[in-house]
DNA sequence: TTGAAAGCGCTAACAC
DNA sequence: GTGTTAGCGCTTTCAA
């Protein structure tokens, strides 16, 4: 390993002091042109790079943002990451991405690790388990300390902080309206258990649309999928009802795709006999057959917006207007399944 | 912001010296039980966390690994990340993930940033553009310096370094053999342009299988997809041949999924009239209808293995056996499309 | 125009 | 058993 150059070694080799080198490298006018050129040439030749650790320690800022997501094998979060990354890079910020794997303990560890000086601020989408257990102490602690943090997508309800969310209720409403506008009245929903807020909100939108259109809400048309059991089978049950729905709103892409498969097995034609609409940022959706109509979630925009809010906090330290919430609106992307 | 506690403030508040605090916090036997307890209690109460920047600077190691991937919106890379993460976490290493977006300049920037002290070692899957332009200077530079680095999946050919790869030739061979074993002889391939090594290698495996089985290689059965044009149309052309193939090997999941869609449009029954096999780590594959038979790429294993190799370098500094290559073998995952 | 010194937060060798 | 000091790599007063 060719020995690593740093300011001190440069100074020694050139018989000047470290501070001279430091200044010369920043083109300071305090240093004579001659010395400056000499030092810069040397630094370039030996490929000097300032040590970012030392810089961060010195400047008390790391120029990196922390990002905690529940998972990454998920097109939506991948898109979010892209959004965050673009905005951060523009301002010369780097990104440290951590996975909570929807696990409370892991989330706490991530927080711990990231906030020990490694990052200047945090972007978080909260783990499922955290909601289930209702333990937000790790976040509350950070907020008390005034640590800059912006939540997105899966956000804690009772904490007053900056958030970026998708309007899930409106999304569910739009999805259902899309089916209603296509002349359907018997509309089912594949939802999550109630504690998953996004699913719950989308379901509220669904109910709202039905009510507004004076369509009776048929209890047997609502399935709260239990992911610990066979998903296909739970969906098939709905499709096997003697008076099965003609339209189906799935609160995520996976359920929608499986519904398509099950419909096929049961020889139900899509969209003729059953219209299906999903909710996501569309990845599988384009490759199913038929392709899937969905509610676009705009992950990229969400990530970009969240990063923007965080950077604002970091750069204009002045305004500490807490608890802003930015809502990303959704829209229907029409494909073949409706 | 409640003032941040550090060793110095603790020392001042407790009227001891910083080194006493430091030692007490590490349960050093040099410190009396009484003082130790007192300091530990204080630290706990005020939620003291050692500053990782300072630690890294001091210890000359960051306990974090850098990971550069071309993209993240890709199930395969997501799986790789999981693999890396698991292994790294087990050894208390953190992860810094960067995206090159298949862009040479971005890749160079990432390398620059990560190797300025932020990470102890690097895991890289090389950008497409880097291969196209053949500029590996940024990597060569690091290797000269002895910076620990392990390449995976998309690896530079002419650089003697540690690598983890999938046996793409064998994978292509297995995929083709799977079709042949199903009694097919007219087998087409949806491949990439030749400069994409993974596609090229898989295609070589395809040819090998045909040759070994004395099946004539029909030129019109090989499509080198140009992604800048309409992919569906290029695939449809193959399916519209008067004497179209009965089996189809797609070198990635996307082409396979689109082939399924096009076949459907042309009323070609799958798998009765056409068998399709893809190459990937399966995400879309499970949700198409019919579900797609694929060659499993084992992204998780690849990530885990790469991380393991890197950590080995970092932890047992002794053996610097350069240029190890670990090959991950593939296997057929049978689903409905064949 | 240049350099010495202090300090970011931490630790370890070496006093006391 | 506790404290002093120096140093990881860098910058920034302040003095020369």
């Amino acid at each position: 390993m060719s020995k690593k150059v740093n300011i001190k070694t440069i100074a020694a080799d050139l018989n000047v002091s470290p501070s001279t080198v430091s200044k010369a490298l920043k083109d300071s006018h305090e240093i004579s042109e001659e010395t400056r050129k000499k030092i810069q040439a040397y630094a370039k030749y030996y490929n000097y790079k300032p040590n970012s650790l030392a810089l961060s320690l010195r400047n008390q800022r790391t120029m990196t943002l922390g990002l905690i997501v529940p998972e990454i094998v998920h097109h939506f979060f991948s898109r979010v990451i892209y959004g965050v990354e673009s905005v951060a890079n523009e301002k010369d910020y780097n990104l440290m991405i951590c996975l909570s794997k929807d696990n409370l303990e892991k989330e706490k560890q991530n927080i711990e690790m990231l906030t020990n000086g490694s990052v200047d601020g945090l972007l978080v989408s909260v783990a499922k388990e955290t909601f289930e257990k209702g333990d937000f102490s790790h976040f509350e602690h950070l907020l008390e300390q005034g640590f800059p943090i912006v939540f997105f997508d899966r956000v804690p309800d009772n904490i007053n902080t900056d958030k970026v969310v998708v309007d899930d209720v409106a999304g569910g409403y739009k999805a259902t309206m899309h089916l209603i506008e296509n002349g359907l009245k018997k509309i089912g929903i594949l939802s999550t258990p109630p504690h998953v807020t996004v699913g719950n909100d989308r379901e509220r939108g669904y109910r709202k649309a039905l009510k507004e259109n004076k369509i009776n809400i048929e209890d047997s048309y609502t399935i709260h999928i239990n992911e610990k059991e066979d998903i296909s089978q739970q969906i098939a049950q709905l499709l096997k009802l003697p008076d099965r729905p003609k339209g189906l709103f799935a609160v995520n892409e996976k359920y929608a795709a499986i519904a398509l498969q099950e419909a096929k097995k049961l020889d139900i034609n899509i969209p003729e006999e059953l219209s299906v609409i999903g909710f996501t940022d569309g990845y599988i959706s384009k490759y199913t057959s038929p392709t899937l109509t969905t509610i676009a979630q705009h992950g990229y925009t969400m990530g970009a917006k969240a990063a923007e809010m965080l950077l604002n906090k970091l750069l204009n330290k002045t305004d500490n207007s807490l608890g802003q919430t930015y809502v990303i609106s959704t829209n229907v992307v029409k494909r073949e399944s409706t």
Side-chain angles (χ1 to χ4, degrees), chain A:
Chain A
M1 167 135 44
S2 66
K3 74 165 185 298
K4 196 75 186 157
V5 293
N6 61 31
I7 287 208
K8 217 167 136 190
T9 61
I10 297 181
D13 284 5
L14 259 36
N15 275 317
V16 291
S17 78
S19 52
T20 305
V21 176
S22 172
K23 286 172 191 161
L25 290 174
K26 325 197 79 157
D27 253 337
S28 160
H29 292 290
E30 286 182 33
I31 306 297
S32 71
E33 168 119 18
E34 192 193 359
T35 324
R36 244 188 298 155
K37 291 275 174 267
K38 185 175 67 177
I39 292 176
Q40 288 175 0
Y42 184 100
K44 176 147 196 190
Y45 182 77
Y46 286 103
N47 194 32
Y48 166 76
K49 295 284 149 51
N51 179 305
S52 53
L53 244 33
L55 272 176
S56 300
L57 187 59
R58 172 75 237 237
N59 300 332
Q60 296 293 80
R61 52 176 214 172
T62 60
M63 299 300 284
T64 94
L65 305 182
L67 174 60
I68 303 182
V69 289
E71 45 177 340
I72 213 171
V73 183
H74 208 240
H75 188 254
F76 171 67
F77 286 117
S78 305
R79 298 288 306 159
V80 170
I81 294 176
Y82 261 65
V84 172
E85 217 255 355
S86 306
V87 173
N89 272 194
E90 214 169 82
K91 303 272 187 200
D92 285 320
Y93 271 79
N94 295 110
L95 214 55
M96 196 139 180
I97 304 171
C98 292
L99 309 179
S100 66
K101 301 197 177 170
D102 270 326
N103 177 310
L104 173 59
E105 210 41 57
K106 198 108 200 300
E107 184 172 87
K108 287 190 174 181
Q109 280 172 23
N110 284 334
I111 293 274
E112 186 100 325
M113 181 251 141
L114 289 174
T115 55
N116 289 344
S118 314
V119 302
D120 295 341
L122 221 43
L123 260 12
V124 183
S125 182
V126 180
K128 276 187 194 159
E129 202 191 4
T130 306
F131 286 111
E132 281 167 26
K133 302 205 169 162
D135 176 4
F136 296 94
S137 56
H138 43 315
F139 296 127
E140 284 155 2
H141 219 94
L142 285 180
L143 288 166
E144 278 165 27
Q145 288 183 202
F147 193 93
I149 178 166
V150 173
F151 291 92
F152 65 91
D153 194 46
R154 305 217 212 125
V155 306
D157 266 348
N158 338 340
I159 299 186
N160 182 34
T161 173
D162 295 294
K163 311 173 183 177
V164 182
V165 292
V166 120
D167 188 345
D168 284 301
V169 179
Y173 179 82
K174 282 181 196 168
T176 313
M177 283 307 293
H178 175 73
L179 296 173
I180 294 175
E181 280 160 9
N182 283 346
L184 303 174
K185 291 206 182 301
K186 293 188 202 167
I187 298 174
I189 180 169
L190 302 174
S191 186
T192 60
H195 69 80
V196 181
T197 46
V198 291
N200 199 38
D201 285 349
R202 290 168 197 170
E203 190 177 329
R204 277 171 49 209
Y206 158 82
R207 290 169 176 273
K208 183 171 163 230
L210 293 188
K211 272 191 201 133
E212 276 189 19
N213 288 272
K214 311 226 188 318
I215 298 174
N216 200 25
I217 294 173
E218 178 69 54
D219 277 352
S220 62
Y221 283 3
T222 299
I223 309 282
H224 291 120
I225 303 278
N226 175 353
E227 296 226 3
K228 279 166 193 137
E229 319 221 323
D230 183 352
I231 301 178
S232 306
Q233 209 176 320
Q234 296 172 64
I235 295 178
Q237 260 169 23
L238 176 60
L239 299 182
K240 283 179 187 159
L241 285 179
D243 186 28
R244 67 156 190 265
K246 300 277 181 230
L248 197 49
F249 166 40
V251 299
N252 62 44
E253 181 171 52
K254 188 164 152 190
Y255 299 168
I258 296 177
L260 250 40
Q261 292 178 335
E262 291 305 308
K264 192 171 184 192
K265 282 189 203 155
L266 295 169
D267 268 329
I268 302 173
N269 280 327
I270 292 176
E272 295 80 4
E273 299 175 75
L274 178 69
S275 288
V276 178
I277 183 166
F279 202 113
T280 186
D281 210 20
Y283 180 56
I284 302 179
S285 307
K286 287 181 217 150
Y287 298 107
T288 54
S289 33
T291 55
L292 201 52
T293 297
T294 58
I295 295 290
Q297 230 175 324
H298 304 295
Y300 183 94
T301 312
M302 179 171 265
K305 187 67 201 174
E308 201 187 305
M309 283 172 75
L310 183 56
L311 287 172
N312 255 338
K313 285 176 115 161
L314 296 177
L315 302 175
N316 330 333
K317 292 169 190 172
T318 42
D319 102 287
N320 250 327
S321 50
L322 273 172
Q324 284 202 47
T325 296
Y326 187 90
V327 179
I328 309 262
S329 70
T330 55
N331 59 280
V332 175
V333 178
K334 170 89 182 70
R335 295 201 189 82
E336 296 163 3
S337 69
T338 58

